[in-house]
Amino acid sequence: MAFFMEVLIAGLLAGVMYSLVALGFVLIFKASGVLNYAQGTMALFAALSFVSFMEMGVNFWIALVITAIIMIILAFVVERVVLRPLVNQPLITLFMATIGLSFFLEGFAQALWGSQVHRLELGISDDPIFIGDIMVSQFDIFAGVTAAAMVGGLAFFFNKTKMGRALRAVADDHQAALSIGIPLRHIWVLVWVVAGFVAIVAGLLWGSRLGVQFALALIILKAFPVLILGGFESIPGAIVGGLIIGSSEKLAEVYLGPYVGGGIENFFPYMLALVFLLFRPYGLFGEVHIERV
Amino acid sequence: MLGLKKWFLIGISASLVGGATMVSSATADEQFIPLPSYRVGPYAAGGTGLYGGFIDYMRMINERDGGINGVKLTWEECETEYSTPRGVECYERLKNKGPTGASVFNFVSTGMTYAVIERATKDKIPIMSMGYGRTDASDGRVFPYIFPIITNYWSQNTAKIKFIGMTEGGMDKLKGKHIVNLHHGSGYGRETIPVLNKQAEMYSFKVTHLEVPHPGADQKSQWLQIRRMKPDWVILRGWGVMNPTALKEAARMRFPANKIVGVWWSGAEEDVIPAGKSAKGYISAGFHPAGTEFPAVQDIVKHVYDKGKGDLSDKKRLGTIYWNRGVIHGVLTVEAIRTAQEKYGKKSLTGEQVRWGLENLNIDENRLQELGVAGLMMPLKLSCYDHEGGGAVKFQQWDGNKWNVITDWIQSDQSIVRPMIEASAAKYAKEKGITPRDCPKPM
């Protein structure tokens, strides 16, 4: 039983790490209806910029501020160069544009900072602690608390502030939002800035765990089933989805894996998400869209 | 003022003219080396170092010697991003380039090597898979165009078990031990399962295979299982991000790093630096050391980097594991062409002729000294029968700052490996309707 609990807790905490990535997707999807394929690369770009400044001898907090400024500049550039020319284009066009953005950012990051792997120490202890016989990672607990704080802040922002409501209005209908005086361009910049900040947090936590390297961009593969399951527009959904995906994939790998040759935790979350889709096509917390046909 | 479109058209025209110049400058005294490299994507750190060393060595040969007996080396890279379909596309794109076509392909990917075996055999272009690739291709009778040169995965694995046995105090001490094979979820990762099972049976140890799905960025479930199993040793058969992740998880589970033995694709600086102190004491196999003290490397510095022609912008990467491996790729490619020239003349050679050079490659200690790579690589001799040629492995340990070689060459156990290779190759020959060549067994 202790081992089962250990696997379950490890899965739940791993799920929180997936949620950190999924949150960035949710933000942009909520505000623009666009699935931002570049979110993983943004996390990589942020972490790579941060660690490169640190290696130049820049103080931790100054490096963090410079990275945040870079992500703000990136948001402005994305709005000006990628999004503005595509206003009112089909969403699939915007999605394709973010794929292009992902390739560009990856190449740009390499041109700027090189392809080497970097070590990133955030000063968070990675030693495990024991609750009875159950081993829990301190680092994962820290990541969980960080994610919870981010979710709380973002939920408040979207639900209780004027700007948050404006963001939701833009997501519903670009043209209608424009017609009532919501500044679309400012809104898009703002949401990409916030997604950029989420990418910094995700990039630093994942980078601290794996080393800052180009494989970081692949963390989006863990976020997709979380989004499908939790719903693309829901911040709490990203967290709940992450917890379900994380725990179920770990339990499946440990208890089902040995019977089918192992290595199933990559595709198991997608299978699970597909099963959920059969019953809840918009995910657990996704908004139900009723359209006239 | 010119508009954006005009500048764009000028740029395109300039590239086309440049490209045409490059092609037209190809003469009969050039030897073309295709380079399906991966410099972007998740495995870029390894790819840039390895192909950087490869190109630096070839450039040094051109700068210092004027090419191989006057035949200049030319090359063209094609980005694969370590993706097998793109690797095949690069193969098709590059195979007919140069005055006589591609000399020899080095994919540095087991998946790509598997994918082009039949094409390359049909096209008569050799594939050199140094320390990776399809193991049973060591049987040159069935795979005339494939060269898993220096040491294949199965040979390495027997050397690894020998090392573990030596550390335990003798091969008989392996009885009752438990070894976990933590492997990448790919063809490369699964390649050693048969030989490990065979060895487990021979030496009466228990082996458990745990697969880590690509890319291996999250290994909690595997390491929780390892914690529960309490094995005596873990074999780490990782690649890229899987390696530092494994070492960090091991430390978290309090599994000692000096009881983890990695394959050579888990034994570069890029694999341990991100893991920080968790990697200290970790051991990996290797078929060459790190370091810049070798005369050939010094020549690269003198003739290439001092002239500002180096492939890597960061000179600190010279002498790292991947860069040195790239240099060895260069050495073997050049020596295969040089050997082939002895038979076919000092001119541009076809892939088929270079294949002969590879099959008759004989680099002994004296030749290693002449080439300035003594100590960097082992002597090797290939033949029609044996496309591996070496088979020995050294082990190195990470001390937190650098790799230290901790053993001499440990010979692989060919009494286990060769019969398995021959059986597997024979099965392949039967499936594909291949009549094996009649090759004399080396003495």
Side-chain angles (χ1 to χ4, degrees):
Chain A
M1 190 61 190
F3 181 68
F4 176 86
M5 289 305 293
E6 207 166 77
V7 176
L8 179 69
I9 293 170
L12 290 170
L13 291 171
V16 172
M17 293 287 282
Y18 306 160
S19 299
L20 279 173
V21 186
L23 274 176
F25 282 95
V26 170
L27 283 172
I28 291 176
F29 195 88
K30 240 174 130 59
S32 58
V34 177
L35 182 67
N36 175 26
Y37 189 82
Q39 189 65 32
T41 320
M42 282 167 64
L44 160 72
F45 185 63
L48 200 53
S49 301
F50 176 82
V51 78
S52 301
F53 288 122
M54 290 273 287
E55 285 174 1
M56 285 176 197
V58 177
N59 169 279
F60 179 94
W61 295 106
I62 297 173
L64 197 61
V65 170
I66 299 172
T67 307
I69 293 169
I70 289 174
M71 297 313 282
I72 292 169
I73 294 169
L74 178 70
F76 274 95
V77 173
V78 167
E79 190 280 323
R80 179 68 189 86
V81 179
V82 182
L83 300 178
R84 201 184 293 183
L86 298 176
V87 171
N88 288 327
Q89 294 300 312
L91 289 175
I92 188 69
T93 308
L94 287 160
F95 172 64
M96 297 302 284
T98 65
I99 294 178
L101 177 67
S102 174
F103 283 116
F104 168 77
L105 263 186
E106 201 170 320
F108 184 60
Q110 190 166 349
L112 213 55
W113 305 120
S115 58
Q116 273 300 79
V117 176
H118 304 263
R119 182 179 162 202
L120 176 59
E121 286 290 342
L122 295 176
I124 308 160
S125 173
D126 211 4
D127 291 333
I129 52 170
F130 286 87
I131 305 165
D133 286 340
I134 300 166
M135 191 187 72
V136 184
S137 159
Q138 284 189 64
F139 183 93
D140 289 345
I141 293 173
F142 176 85
V145 172
T146 307
M150 277 172 61
V151 167
L154 291 169
F156 178 81
F157 174 73
F158 271 99
N159 295 317
K160 303 291 179 190
T161 67
K162 196 177 164 186
M163 191 60 82
R165 281 194 288 272
L167 283 168
R168 288 161 63 192
V170 169
D172 280 345
D173 193 321
H174 297 172
Q175 281 184 314
L178 272 171
S179 70
I180 57 165
I182 294 175
L184 188 60
R185 289 169 188 172
H186 294 175
I187 293 288
W188 274 356
V189 170
L190 179 73
V191 80
W192 277 77
V193 166
V194 179
F197 291 166
V198 172
I200 294 175
V201 176
L204 294 191
L205 287 173
W206 274 96
S208 168
R209 164 147 288 178
L210 311 178
V212 179
Q213 51 186 304
F214 280 77
L216 264 185
L218 296 178
I219 57 178
I220 58 164
L221 297 175
K222 292 289 187 184
F224 284 142
V226 172
L227 291 165
I228 296 167
L229 203 145
F232 282 83
E233 301 100 337
S234 171
I235 289 169
I239 295 297
V240 176
L243 294 174
I244 295 173
I245 291 291
S247 54
S248 59
E249 73 171 19
K250 299 293 173 240
L251 290 169
E253 181 67 52
V254 171
Y255 291 104
L256 289 180
Y259 298 104
V260 291
I264 64 171
E265 64 185 314
N266 259 15
F267 66 81
F268 184 83
Y270 285 91
M271 279 173 53
L272 188 69
L274 281 175
V275 172
F276 262 80
L277 282 181
L278 289 176
F279 302 100
R280 292 191 66 91
Y282 295 100
L284 281 176
F285 298 88
E287 291 168 15
V288 179
H289 297 280
I290 299 167
E291 291 175 12
R292 285 194 184 143
V293 289
Chain B
M1 198 171 164
L2 288 170
L4 204 62
K5 277 188 184 167
K6 274 191 182 170
W7 277 115
F8 178 73
L9 287 172
I10 289 170
I12 293 283
S13 312
S15 333
L16 287 172
V17 170
T21 308
M22 194 177 74
V23 173
S24 66
S25 69
T27 68
D29 291 333
E30 288 183 355
Q31 190 70 45
F32 177 71
I33 318 293
L35 297 177
S37 58
Y38 41 94
R39 289 179 183 263
V40 294
Y43 303 108
T48 49
L50 199 146
Y51 283 96
F54 196 164
I55 289 172
D56 283 338
Y57 185 81
M58 292 195 292
R59 193 165 277 142
M60 184 272 282
I61 293 293
N62 279 350
E63 293 286 325
R64 188 191 65 185
D65 306 340
I68 308 169
N69 296 315
V71 179
K72 284 259 186 186
L73 294 166
T74 61
W75 54 88
E76 183 178 322
E77 286 188 77
C78 177
E79 178 63 46
T80 68
E81 286 198 42
Y82 197 68
S83 150
T84 297
R86 290 180 76 158
V88 175
E89 193 185 319
C90 285
Y91 170 84
E92 290 297 333
R93 195 185 297 175
L94 297 176
K95 70 179 185 185
N96 293 320
K97 295 228 168 171
T100 47
S103 307
V104 52
F105 275 90
N106 294 268
F107 288 99
V108 196
S109 156
T110 296
M112 290 179 223
T113 304
Y114 264 83
V116 300
I117 285 175
E118 287 179 42
R119 287 168 193 256
T121 305
K122 186 167 162 273
D123 296 333
K124 299 188 175 178
I125 299 171
I127 307 292
M128 196 164 84
S129 56
M130 191 180 89
Y132 64 91
R134 185 171 178 136
T135 301
D136 59 5
S138 301
D139 189 340
R141 297 170 304 175
V142 177
F143 296 92
Y145 285 87
I146 315 299
F147 293 84
I149 200 166
I150 290 195
T151 174
N152 63 46
Y153 286 140
W154 292 356
S155 294
Q156 174 226 201
N157 209 79
T158 58
K160 209 181 273 176
I161 295 299
K162 266 191 187 177
F163 169 78
I164 292 174
M166 281 161 56
T167 312
E168 290 285 351
M171 297 306 279
D172 56 318
K173 300 286 191 301
L174 287 173
K175 189 176 179 182
K177 298 284 180 201
H178 185 185
I179 298 174
V180 165
N181 173 34
L182 187 71
H183 65 87
H184 194 262
S186 61
Y188 146 70
R190 296 181 201 106
E191 186 78 14
T192 52
I193 290 175
V195 73
L196 260 171
N197 288 341
K198 174 90 179 168
Q199 286 182 291
E201 200 183 302
M202 280 180 69
Y203 298 114
S204 303
F205 63 81
K206 182 183 173 190
V207 63
T208 305
H209 306 285
L210 287 181
E211 181 168 318
V212 177
H214 165 82
D218 185 31
Q219 297 172 32
K220 278 195 170 59
S221 36
Q222 288 80 12
W223 280 96
L224 282 168
Q225 290 178 79
I226 290 171
R227 180 166 173 263
R228 186 166 68 156
M229 290 170 191
K230 294 188 175 59
D232 299 286
W233 292 85
V234 169
I235 288 177
L236 174 58
R237 196 167 169 75
W239 179 221
V241 71
M242 178 181 158
N243 296 318
T245 307
L247 295 171
K248 287 194 119 181
E249 286 290 349
R252 205 170 291 129
M253 303 291 164
R254 310 257 167 96
F255 190 87
N258 63 0
K259 294 286 182 182
I260 305 175
V261 185
V263 63
W264 42 68
W265 299 110
S266 304
E269 292 80 358
E270 288 82 353
D271 301 315
V272 285
I273 288 171
K277 63 180 191 305
S278 309
K280 197 171 174 184
Y282 161 63
I283 297 162
S284 95
F287 52 86
H288 62 84
T292 56
E293 66 272 27
F294 313 101
V297 172
Q298 291 305 314
D299 277 354
I300 291 174
V301 174
K302 184 179 164 190
H303 295 281
V304 180
Y305 280 87
D306 287 352
K307 292 178 182 173
K309 294 180 178 176
D311 189 72
L312 298 180
S313 53
D314 182 4
K315 267 181 80 172
K316 287 202 289 285
R317 295 183 70 189
L318 269 60
T320 58
I321 290 287
Y322 281 133
W323 188 83
N324 277 7
R325 195 165 300 166
V327 169
I328 299 172
H329 273 86
V331 170
L332 294 177
T333 302
V334 166
E335 289 312 294
I337 295 166
R338 202 189 302 275
T339 305
Q341 281 183 351
E342 286 166 16
K343 179 174 181 179
Y344 297 103
K346 296 173 176 57
K347 58 179 186 180
S348 305
L349 303 176
T350 62
E352 193 175 6
Q353 290 166 332
V354 175
R355 190 208 71 81
W356 186 91
L358 269 166
E359 202 162 83
N360 290 277
L361 201 56
N362 183 5
I363 304 178
D364 58 14
E365 279 292 353
N366 286 338
R367 186 62 187 150
L368 289 176
Q369 292 282 353
E370 286 166 14
L371 293 171
V373 291
L376 181 62
M377 56 179 280
M378 74 184 95
L380 79 162
K381 187 176 189 311
L382 275 72
S383 67
C384 165
Y385 178 82
D386 175 21
H387 277 194
E388 182 184 17
V393 177
K394 282 186 180 184
F395 288 83
Q396 55 182 6
Q397 190 164 30
W398 181 250
D399 68 5
N401 293 306
K402 65 178 190 311
W403 287 107
N404 297 302
V405 175
I406 56 171
T407 67
D408 202 349
W409 292 112
I410 295 181
Q411 285 300 326
S412 57
D413 191 340
Q414 290 301 315
S415 69
I416 300 171
V417 175
R418 189 66 201 186
M420 286 181 72
I421 284 173
E422 290 186 13
S424 181
K427 191 175 161 207
Y428 176 85
K430 196 177 170 191
E431 277 168 16
K432 302 287 177 186
I434 297 167
T435 307
R437 293 185 296 167
D438 187 18
C439 302
K441 280 192 180 181
M443 299 300 285

